Amino acid sequence: MDAFHALVLVGMFLTGFGILGGCYLHDRVEQKKEAERQRRRQQQRLHDAAKEQETAMRVRKYNTMHAMRRTARRHRQEGRY
């Protein structure tokens, strides 16, 4: 094997390692992107759950207040007050 063939062989090895390294880096970037997407989805779920809980609390508060007013009105009509 002469020097030219050795140089071609080294070039092929370097090209192969470059491609493998590029694939590895691409996979790492995709993993980081997916982790960020999952974190954002989780954050959105938590935010939505908090909003839903706040809405439910407001509805309960309104319903309680409305029921107390109905009871007070009924008591006034019955002459209890």
Side-chain angles (χ1 to χ4, degrees):
M1 183 157 56
D2 59 353
F4 176 73
H5 287 106
L7 196 58
V8 169
L9 188 61
V10 168
M12 287 174 41
F13 277 126
L14 288 176
T15 304
F17 285 133
I19 290 171
L20 287 175
C23 290
Y24 173 76
L25 290 176
H26 177 70
D27 287 346
R28 293 288 301 217
V29 168
E30 287 300 316
Q31 286 174 350
K32 285 183 180 182
K33 284 182 182 177
E34 183 59 30
E36 180 65 21
R37 278 190 218 109
Q38 287 179 357
R39 188 186 66 77
R40 284 187 182 157
R41 272 190 238 123
Q42 179 66 20
Q43 208 171 25
Q44 187 63 41
R45 277 195 293 269
L46 289 173
H47 180 70
D48 291 346
K51 283 180 89 173
E52 192 173 312
Q53 192 174 22
E54 182 182 351
T55 301
M57 184 185 70
R58 287 180 184 208
V59 167
R60 278 194 307 273
K61 182 178 177 181
Y62 174 80
N63 288 343
T64 301
M65 180 182 67
H66 190 61
M68 290 174 68
R69 286 181 180 171
R70 273 196 319 259
T71 303
R73 187 178 304 126
R74 191 176 68 237
H75 287 180
R76 270 196 311 273
Q77 288 173 350
E78 292 172 358
R80 291 187 188 181
Y81 293 141

